[in-house]
Amino acid sequence: MTPDETIPASEPTTKRAATRRCPVCGHEGWRIAFGMVVPSERQKMSKTEFAGCVIVEEQRIYPATGKVEWGTPKWACQNLECRHRWW
């Protein structure tokens, strides 16, 4: 490879591009990424919600059982009216 050639950017992996359906409204849900993510990596993770550097446990009521749980959300509904977060 000569110095003026560049290595082609890899396509997003299946895990990075994965989505789930929201258990509350059925809309598309995206993974939540915590921490500082450089712009080049953000472009590779197009269907990801970036939540910054502060990781906070949240309380939720599990929709199927009504049980109260604590945890760090890994997924976020992209429906602006719902915005349910789950793990």
Side-chain angles (χ1 to χ4, degrees):
M1 179 177 288
T2 62
D4 59 315
E5 292 179 329
T6 59
I7 299 171
S10 62
E11 292 296 318
T13 63
T14 303
K15 187 174 181 179
R16 284 183 175 170
T19 62
R20 288 190 178 174
R21 293 285 162 205
C22 174
V24 174
C25 72
H27 199 272
E28 185 176 59
W30 294 358
R31 290 182 185 276
I32 300 173
F34 293 96
M36 294 179 66
V37 182
V38 295
S40 61
E41 288 299 311
R42 282 183 181 236
Q43 291 174 348
K44 293 178 188 175
M45 300 163 41
S46 61
K47 290 194 172 191
T48 302
E49 184 172 299
F50 297 95
C53 295
V54 178
I55 301 173
V56 179
E57 283 198 346
E58 296 180 8
Q59 177 183 351
R60 72 164 180 177
I61 298 173
Y62 189 71
T65 63
K67 181 180 170 187
V68 176
E69 298 179 333
W70 285 91
T72 302
K74 293 184 179 12
W75 295 88
C77 178
Q78 297 303 299
N79 179 350
L80 295 177
E81 294 177 7
C82 177
R83 298 300 296 158
H84 177 68
R85 293 160 61 101
W86 71 98
W87 48 93

